[in-house]
Structures are given as structure tokens and as C-alpha cells.
Amino acid sequence: MNKKKLLHKSTESFLIFSVIILLIAAPVFYFISQWLYIYETEEVLLMHKGAFVKESHSNFTEKDIKLWNKYNRDVMIVPDMGVKKDSIVGVIMYDSIAEADEPFRIIYSPVKINGKKYTYTERINLLEMEGMVFSVAAMFLVIIIILLIGIILLSKITSAKLWKPFYNTLDQIHDFEIDKNKAPHFTPTDIDEFDRLNKSLDLLIEKNTAIYKSQREFIENAAHELQTPLTLFQTKIETLSQLDLNEEQSNLVGSISNDVSRLNRLNKNLLLLSKIDNEIYFDKSPIVINNYIEKHLDFFTEQAASKSIAIKTDFRFSLKITANPTLTEVLINNLFLNAIRHNKKDGSIIVTTLENELIFQNTGVKAPLDTKKLFNRFSKSNPSSQGSGLGLAIVKKIAEANNWKIKYTFDQDLHCFSIRF
């Protein structure tokens, strides 16, 4: 769905309203102007007739009337037409000068000359009125359009300036990351609503940042505190396993040892996440991904042997990056172990290096994974898995810390994880 900006939305509504008003006002203005012109024309006709009656035309002879009609094209004195009172009508008639049919307004009025009844007629051409009204209407439209454009531009400029603090706040909130120490600094504004919004956001960010730091410190401290007793526990279990135990006792000790090992890995992963959050791994150096994979391929092959998983490498390019060696090692190890742990028996793993991309493809369940939860901490696609649920979360965290792009796809029954450097 295409979303519109607030300024565009308000301007669009104003523009639609203006166009509707313009479309209604233009014809209304035209018809009112036309009616006013006809009204004024009729007033002129009545005034001319009144002036004719008041002037000394009452002693006109037949000869005078003929001369009058000869030299007055639009005002004529004709024999009585039976008109009892002033009557004004609109007609279309031929105009010899224009040589075309044109609209006229004609008055028929009874007059007496030398005691004889006549009819006074006068006509006024309305065609000039049509042109004048059209010109006025066109001028009106041009003025209104210029006015509307000016109002819209002024409104847009004013609104942009007025809403600038809001957009500044929006941009800073968009760029804000709670795991960074850089808090947003909102632009001071004299608009009460924006000022209240900024203060509320400041308070909200302050509270959530404090909660986040408290949680992070708790995890880090807990992981540190647990590491020592876990190590001692593991050592004592190893000592216990060396004693002369029967089969049941040996199985029990082995099960406890596996559980403690998982707990130890989980604790180390939590410590690793805490260190990444605190940006402890800041030193970087050139690394050739191909070399590291080849160097440790035997180890990963051994890990995959229990499921008879075949590992294939497709090194199309020598992939060189600049990164922290420890984090890069953790990234590759977790991708390998994830591909092994969630694979099927007699499955396969394909590792591909492109010019700036590392791709892991593996067989497994024949359905795509839930991408919404895939990289979340303690989220597992397979609940029975022996993993900690932190492997892919750590991969994503390392990628984010280095501004790398991580992507998951499912194609041709292969689960694909790609890291673009």
C-alpha cells in the first residue's frame, strides 16, 4: 500500500476542495454575469424609451418618422402592433452587418405621435455581451487559479516549516537504537504539541534504556558468576566418570555431563552476546574466509559424520573481508553447526563463496522456516534440538555489528543462509 506524507495528504485535500469550488463557482459566475448583463440591457432599453417619450417627438410627421427609421438602425417607430404595455423579449435574428443570426434583446412599447398610435421598438445586440462575459469569466478563472496556486504553495511552505520539528523527531526515532549509547536530541520547538511529544519520547527512551542496560548487566553478571561453578561442576563430573561405576551409574553421569556441557555452552553464548553488545570486539584484520573453512573442514566433517552428512565446498571466489577474527570464527562455526544440527540423515551441506557473499545451503525439513522467529534468541525450529537457541541469534548480532546483510531463503528443498559483506 502506497502511503502518503502528512503534508501531501493535507495539501491534496485542500486542492480537491479548491477544484470543486472552482468548478462550481465558474459556471455560477458566468450565469450570474449573463443575467446581470441582460438585466442592465433591459434597464437601458427602458431608459431609452422613457427618454424618447420625454423628448419632443410627439409632433413628428409621417415624413419625420420615415427619416427617423432611415437613420436609426436599432430604434424604429412602426405602426401600432397592438402592444398595450412595455414588453421586452429575446430573439435570434439576422444582422445584416454581421451577416449572421445573432441574439438580440428587443423592447416593444406603445407611443402616441400627433394623436396616432405607434409602437416604439429598440434592439440591443447581446453577442458583445457574450464575448464580454466570457472574457470576464476567463479573467476570473485565471485570477482564481493564480490565487489557489499561491495559497497552496504558501500553505505547503508554511506547513513544511511548521512540521519540521515533527519530522526531525521522526528521523531521530527511526535512527535510534537502544543498544547504542547515543540518545536522540530533539530540536526545541515553541509548539506545545510537539514539545509535549518530545518530552514524552525523552522520558520513554530514558526508561527503556535504563531497563535494557539493567537487563544486559544482569545477564552479563549472571553469566560471569555461573562460569566458575559450572567449570568446577564439569571438572568434578569428569573426575566422577573416571571412578569404577556400573553401567547405570555411568549412563547417569554421562547424561549429567551432557547437560552441564549444554549449560556451559549456553553461558558462553550469553557472555559472547553481552560482549558484542558492549562492542568489546573492536579490533579488525584481513581474513580469507576460504582459508579458514579449509583449515577447519575436517572438524566439521567429523561433526557431520554422525548423520552421514556430505559437506561440499564451492569456492568460486577468494572471499576476503576485514573483520574481527574471533567474531568471524564464531559466525562460520555457528552457520556450520546450524546446518549440521538441523539437517537430516544422509543429507548434504553446500558452502559457496562469491565475490562478497558467503552462502550455506543444507537439506532438512521440506518446508521453509518461520523467518519472523528464525533469528530470535532461544527460538528453535526443532524443539528437540540439542542447541541452545542462540546460534542464529549470535550470527545475526555479529552481522549487524559489522553492517553485513544476512538473508534466509528456501529453494528446491534447500535451506539457504547468506551473508553479504
Side-chain angles (χ1 to χ4, degrees), residues 91-108:
V91 296
I92 302 296
M93 57 188 303
Y94 183 78
D95 188 349
S96 58
I97 296 178
E99 296 182 349
D101 290 337
E102 295 184 352
F104 285 86
R105 208 71 179 172
I106 303 177
I107 184 173
Y108 297 93

Side-chain angles (χ1 to χ4, degrees), residues 265-278:
R265 288 197 302 270
L266 173 62
N267 193 61
K268 288 180 178 179
N269 285 336
L270 289 173
L271 274 173
L272 177 63
L273 282 170
S274 177
K275 289 179 179 179
I276 295 174
D277 286 334
N278 291 322

Side-chain angles (χ1 to χ4, degrees), residues 88-133:
I88 301 176
V89 295
V91 296
I92 302 296
M93 57 188 303
Y94 183 78
D95 188 349
S96 58
I97 296 178
E99 296 182 349
D101 290 337
E102 295 184 352
F104 285 86
R105 208 71 179 172
I106 303 177
I107 184 173
Y108 297 93
S109 181
V111 293
K112 281 187 177 183
I113 301 176
N114 283 330
K116 189 177 180 180
K117 291 182 179 181
Y118 289 90
T119 298
Y120 171 90
T121 67
E122 181 179 353
R123 67 178 187 176
I124 294 179
N125 194 329
L126 297 180
L127 190 61
E128 296 178 0
M129 176 275 294
E130 293 286 345
M132 183 195 72
V133 171

Side-chain angles (χ1 to χ4, degrees), residues 239-254:
T239 302
L240 184 62
S241 64
Q242 294 175 2
L243 299 179
D244 188 13
L245 304 174
N246 58 40
E247 185 178 354
E248 183 180 357
Q249 291 171 334
S250 179
N251 290 337
L252 182 61
V253 170

Side-chain angles (χ1 to χ4, degrees), residues 21 37 110 130 145 164 178 188 203 247 292 305 310 324 354 392:
I21 293 298
Y37 187 85
E130 293 286 345
I145 290 172
K164 187 176 180 181
I178 197 169
L203 185 61
E247 185 178 354
Y292 177 83
N324 179 271
L354 302 179
L392 291 179

Side-chain angles (χ1 to χ4, degrees), residues 2 21 60-61 78 89 126 167 176 182 200 204 207 217 219 223 269 273 282 291 351 357 362 381 390 397 402 414:
N2 294 329
I21 293 298
F60 266 24
T61 63
V78 298
V89 295
L126 297 180
Y167 286 111
F176 173 69
K182 186 179 178 181
S200 299
L204 182 64
K207 287 183 178 180
E217 288 174 2
I219 293 173
N269 285 336
L273 282 170
F282 58 87
N291 295 344
V351 183
E357 188 175 7
N362 66 275
S381 58
L390 288 174
K397 196 69 179 178
N402 291 276
L414 289 176

Side-chain angles (χ1 to χ4, degrees), residues 277-337:
D277 286 334
N278 291 322
E279 299 181 352
I280 291 178
Y281 296 101
F282 58 87
D283 55 315
K284 296 182 179 182
S285 59
I287 300 171
V288 180
I289 299 294
N290 308 50
N291 295 344
Y292 177 83
I293 295 175
E294 288 176 343
K295 183 178 178 180
H296 297 84
L297 189 58
D298 290 340
F299 169 76
F300 296 123
T301 302
E302 183 180 342
Q303 296 292 316
S306 60
K307 289 186 176 181
S308 301
I309 298 172
I311 299 178
K312 178 185 176 182
T313 57
D314 183 10
F315 295 156
R316 303 178 189 178
F317 290 86
S318 179
L319 182 54
K320 298 178 181 179
I321 64 171
T322 301
N324 179 271
T326 302
L327 291 185
T328 305
E329 180 180 341
V330 171
L331 176 80
I332 296 174
N333 288 350
N334 282 6
L335 287 172
F336 254 119
L337 293 176

